Every structure is written in structure tokens, then in C-alpha cells.
Amino acid sequence: MGHENKAKKAHVLIFPFPAQGHINPMLQFAKRLVSKGVKATLVSTVFLSKTTFSDPTSSIDIQTISDGFDEGGYNQAGSPDVYLPTFWSVGSKSLASLIKKLVDAGHPIDAIVYDAFLDFALDVAKQFGIRTAAFFTQACAVNSVYYHVSKGLLQLPLPGPKVSLPGLPPLEVSELPSFVCHHGSYPAWFDVVVNHQFSNIDEADWVFLNIFYDLEKEAVDWMSQFWNVMTIGPTIPSMYLDRRLENDKHYGMHLFKPKTGTCMNWLSGKPKSSVVYVSFGSMAELDVVQMAELAWGLKGSNCYFMWVVRESEQAKLPKNFIEETAEKGLVVSWCPQLEVLSHESIGCFLTHCGFNSVLEALSLGVPLLAMPQWTDQGTNAKYVEDVWEIGMRARSDEENGLVTREIVKHCIKESTEGEKGKEARKNASKWKNLARKAVDEGGSSDKNIDEFVTKLLGD
Ligand code: UDP
């Protein structure tokens, strides 16, 4: 508060990893800065700028850099082993050119808020004498696990069966991020989350966490020993929380085109809390057998369901599934998730537990049914069930490793009608209030953002 006039001069670059789950929270953070009088410029990639669906009324300027794959982005590269190293080498040169261009054009930059994955941004910023803030889009618990691995404090492969880390509940090895518990599974991603994330973070002026303090108090306190940590989340469009940013209902940048009319019309006829919303986010891929088990489990549950199956995944749906379930189900390629989650017809969210999806459900008071797939999702699912108590996990069958149709049916019943579901809904509504308080005026996250803005101006 009170920064509006002076802060007009401050200009911050916001640089997310070019994926939906990283762009959304950082773009939303940029809007908060703008609301406090700061100029914010989002750094996107050439490829994304050609293909994303952006809000034309947005208050955020967008500039682009090359990730080395201007025609097709991540998919063009064919694998993370190709994409990630190329992005690092091409991206750092391209980012330096962008900064030079902006400075030469009379738009100097006061700070760069970069995705903690993208450590090269800090090195580039230092060349220009620009201050830096690393932004973690993942849970503090997940970052803590990666930190311990990076420092050799957790040796891989883990002997198991449990791991005990400061500020975290005891975790089964299987509850650790997949890159750690399935050591060797995605070496290029492992390199990013374990090595790059912490390579130079000690030099960052600030470290932002997309959570609010109450959500992971002990882990935040532990992390604060090392860095100038600030919780600034949850970065959910304001109209769902504090309502201080007028008309702020969407993040503003979709990588896939949402079928808004179809989804909202379909939901509008459904009874209160009767629909299971199902989504695995923007990247996770189910195998054909798992897809079929889930499909028949949804059908067998006899509940209404809305299932987001990205176009690239739709060929895996069982033959005739859509026709056979037309009375009860809707399959769409992408939806406006926040609008859907906030609709009163939604009873529970069957999710892969991407961190944004978890934060969104928590902030909107929707109970979760967790079906994690990879990366940080298994750890998020553990927290959903045992720490935040806002849902339950659909555990895979030990024999075949599948979440079978029977398990899906049982868990949906438990989530929508059982005691676990009721408890989860009650807890979700408690967290929703705490989330709102954190971002509301004077709340813990709001104060941290104010402090950042003040510092930008002060020094
Ligand atoms: N999302 C959306 N429409 C969909 C599915 C997802 O708008 O049909 C949004 C969702 O609201 C969230 C983001 O995409 O903000 C996905 O991020 P998350 O961290 O949950 O998962 P990821 O895609 O990174 O695995």
C-alpha cells in the first residue's frame, strides 16, 4: 500500500519456465506487483507467444526470448534431454539480448523474478547489475527434498523405507518426488530440480515461495536459515480470494484453448456438489491401460463427471467411452479450471496433484481425490491427505501398479459420500479462509509483497 506513485518507476521482469503450471503463478504474482504500482514484463518464449491464448486486456507487457525451439517448443525438441540443455544455452544468450534491448529502449530493469528452475537467469541478471528473486512454484517440502539431495544430505538411491527431514513429516520413499524415488528416471529433469535450482540461489536477493506461511510453517522456517525467504501465495486470481484486483478472474494465458461455454453450460444443470471434476493438468500422460481403468471407474461410479483429456491424449480413451457415458459425463480437451472448481455443482476434484491444482482446490474449498503421476505430485498428494487433510489418495493396486476401476469407484464414493470426504470438505473450507487472509490487505503474503516493493524502491 502507498507505493503507487513512487513505484511507477520500478520495473520487474518475470521469467517463468515456459509451462502452464509455472506461467500461471508467476503471471498472477506479476499482477499483484502491478496492483502496487510496479511495471511488470513477462518473459515468454517465441513459440509460446505464437500459440498461447492471452488476455488482450492484460496489464502485463510480454516480451519473448528463444528457447531454441521457436517452431514447436518442448514437443519440437522431442525429449527433455534435448530441450532443457538447449534452453539453457540459447535462453541465456537470448535473455541477455532482451535485457539489453529493454535497457537501450529506456526501460531499465530493477529486478528479475525468475523461476527457480532457471538458474541461468541469475547469472545473466548479475552481468547487468540487476537484483534477483528466485521464485519456487513448487511446495516448500518438495524444494527441501531436492535441496537435501543437492547437498548430498540425502544419498541416492535411498535405502528406505522412510526419510526424515527438518520441518517435514516422515515421508515414505514412495512419497518423495518421482525424480528422487525413481532415481535415474528423468536425468535431465533431475539435473534441473536438484542441481540447477540450487547452483547459485545463495546469491539471490530474495526467494519467493508460492504458498502462505500457515501452509508449511516449519519448512519455511527451516528454509529461512539459508535465504531471504518470502511466502507470497497462493497466487490465485484475486476474485476467488480477496477480490481486491477488479475483474481478476483468470490467469490470462492458456496454452490450450478452454471450452468455456461447453463446460459452464454443462455444469449449470447439475445438482449441487454432484460432479467429479477430473484433470491431470498440462503435462502428465496416463498409459492406455490406466486410462481405461479410470474411464470405466468413472462410469461405474454412476456420478456426473467432467474429465479434461488433452487432445494429444484422447486417442487413448476406450472405444465408444464418450458415447456410452454421454448422459453422465463430459470429456473436454481443456477447461477454465478455476471457473469450474468454483461452480457449486462440483463435489470433488480427481487430480494428478500438480501444485497449482492443489492450491486452487484448497483456495476454493474443494476436496481432492489424489492420483499423482510423476515429479512433485506424489509429495503433494501425501500433504493433501495427511498434512492438510483436504482429500484422500487413490492408491494403486500392489499387484499390477494400477489404480483399478474398482479403486476409482470406491474412492469416488468415499470422497463424495463418505466420512473422509466430509472431513476433507470441512478442512478445505478452513484452508480457504486462511488463504484469503494471507493475500488480503495486511495478510502475511500481502505484507511480503509490499516489503519487496518497498525494497525495490528504497535502495
Ligand atoms: N488448468 C486449466 N484448465 C484445465 C486444466 C488445468 O486452466 O483444463 C490450469 C490449472 O488451473 C492450473 C494449471 O493449468 O493452474 C496446471 O498446473 P498444475 O500445477 O496443476 O499442473 P501441471 O500442468 O503443471 O502438471
Side-chain angles (χ1 to χ4, degrees):
M1 286 281 100
H3 298 300
E4 285 75 1
N5 292 329
K6 268 171 81 186
K8 284 245 153 40
K9 291 176 213 127
H11 179 200
V12 175
L13 274 194
I14 307 282
F15 183 28
F17 185 86
Q20 189 78 68
H22 291 246
I23 293 169
N24 284 0
M26 293 188 71
L27 183 56
Q28 199 56 36
F29 178 67
K31 288 191 219 160
R32 288 277 171 194
L33 293 180
V34 169
S35 77
K36 293 173 188 294
V38 170
K39 176 176 164 62
T41 300
L42 186 91
V43 181
S44 180
T45 62
V46 174
F47 169 65
L48 284 189
S49 72
K50 290 193 274 199
T51 53
T52 44
F53 304 90
S54 298
D55 174 4
T57 64
S58 171
S59 53
I60 317 289
D61 288 336
I62 297 180
Q63 293 284 338
T64 56
I65 62 161
S66 177
D67 57 2
F69 299 96
D70 295 348
E71 299 312 314
Y74 192 81
N75 290 338
Q76 185 191 349
S79 90
D81 305 332
V82 177
Y83 182 77
L84 296 167
T86 309
F87 182 20
W88 259 243
S89 71
V90 177
S92 57
K93 291 189 197 96
S94 194
L95 179 65
S97 307
L98 171 64
I99 294 176
K100 187 166 179 325
K101 184 184 93 178
L102 289 171
V103 173
D104 290 348
H107 304 295
I109 293 150
D110 297 281
I112 174 158
V113 179
Y114 68 96
D115 195 311
F117 282 12
L118 306 173
D119 57 339
F120 66 79
L122 182 140
D123 299 326
V124 172
K126 294 277 167 198
Q127 291 165 25
F128 290 89
I130 297 171
R131 280 172 292 179
T132 50
F135 188 114
F136 281 104
T137 62
Q138 299 187 323
C140 202
V142 169
N143 303 326
S144 167
V145 172
Y146 291 146
Y147 176 84
H148 280 86
V149 177
S150 83
K151 295 288 173 203
L153 301 166
L154 269 183
Q155 297 276 354
L156 301 183
L158 292 159
K162 284 204 177 183
V163 166
S164 230
L165 297 175
L168 271 54
L171 296 170
E172 308 272 348
V173 168
S174 61
E175 293 167 339
L176 296 173
S178 68
F179 306 136
V180 172
C181 72
H182 303 302
H183 185 38
S185 55
Y186 285 90
W189 276 119
F190 180 89
D191 196 35
V192 169
V193 295
V194 168
N195 299 325
H196 286 291
Q197 285 210 103
F198 305 101
S199 73
N200 54 14
I201 194 166
D202 294 346
E203 296 170 54
D205 298 290
W206 298 272
V207 171
F208 294 141
L209 300 172
N210 182 23
I211 51 167
F212 52 103
Y213 181 66
D214 287 324
L215 210 51
E216 295 191 87
K217 271 185 197 155
E218 293 83 6
V220 174
D221 289 344
W222 168 82
M223 197 176 256
S224 304
Q225 303 168 72
F226 312 118
W227 310 308
N228 183 17
V229 168
M230 286 187 171
T231 53
I232 51 80
T235 51
I236 308 293
S238 174
M239 293 311 279
Y240 297 100
L241 285 173
D242 56 306
R243 309 180 76 88
R244 287 187 297 152
L245 311 191
E246 222 175 300
N247 296 326
D248 182 37
K249 273 195 93 171
H250 311 281
Y251 290 106
M253 203 186 252
H254 279 291
L255 270 54
F256 308 94
K257 196 171 171 47
K259 307 283 189 256
T260 306
T262 310
C263 293
M264 301 322 288
N265 286 339
W266 187 84
L267 286 177
S268 74
K270 304 293 174 286
K272 195 163 180 254
S273 305
S274 68
V275 177
V276 181
Y277 168 59
V278 187
S279 168
F280 290 82
S282 63
M283 290 179 93
E285 295 173 355
L286 301 186
D287 71 33
V288 175
V289 185
Q290 180 60 80
M291 193 91 155
E293 289 303 310
L294 175 56
W296 300 128
L298 286 170
K299 178 166 189 247
S301 77
N302 213 24
C303 279
Y304 288 113
F305 66 88
M306 178 192 286
W307 186 4
V308 176
V309 184
R310 299 188 312 276
E311 245 154 52
S312 57
E313 293 286 285
Q314 288 193 358
K316 296 181 195 166
L317 283 168
K319 214 164 161 252
N320 297 334
F321 174 74
I322 294 183
E323 295 75 12
E324 278 185 39
T325 53
E327 267 183 35
K328 284 281 184 172
L330 176 71
V331 173
V332 286
S333 53
W334 197 249
C335 79
Q337 182 160 300
L338 285 161
E339 258 178 275
V340 167
L341 284 177
S342 62
H343 198 278
E344 62 166 18
S345 65
I346 298 297
C348 86
F349 179 10
L350 195 168
T351 172
H352 68 315
C353 285
F355 195 50
N356 295 288
S357 292
V358 171
L359 284 178
E360 289 162 10
L362 182 143
S363 302
L364 294 167
V366 178
L368 295 167
L369 174 51
M371 210 175 132
Q373 300 299 306
W374 71 318
T375 170
D376 57 339
Q377 297 154 15
T379 314
N380 298 339
K382 157 77 182 174
Y383 270 65
V384 161
E385 184 168 72
D386 293 338
V387 180
W388 302 320
E389 300 180 318
I390 53 171
M392 61 186 283
R393 281 176 283 189
R395 288 185 167 77
S396 48
D397 187 298
E398 274 182 19
E399 244 171 63
N400 53 23
L402 289 170
V403 179
T404 61
R405 61 192 77 184
E406 292 308 322
I407 299 174
V408 172
K409 250 167 47 184
H410 167 78
C411 289
I412 289 181
K413 195 165 169 49
E414 189 59 28
S415 298
T416 51
E417 297 169 22
E419 275 315 304
K420 267 206 150 178
K422 280 192 203 125
E423 254 327 280
R425 188 170 278 279
K426 226 171 38 198
N427 289 330
S429 130
K430 177 193 90 184
W431 284 113
K432 173 182 169 174
N433 287 334
L434 290 171
R436 198 191 53 230
K437 273 198 191 132
V439 296
D440 213 345
E441 193 172 345
S444 55
S445 296
D446 185 59
K447 271 205 238 158
N448 284 339
I449 301 174
D450 272 342
E451 192 184 318
F452 170 60
V453 173
T454 305
K455 272 272 167 2
L456 274 186
L457 300 167
D459 313 332

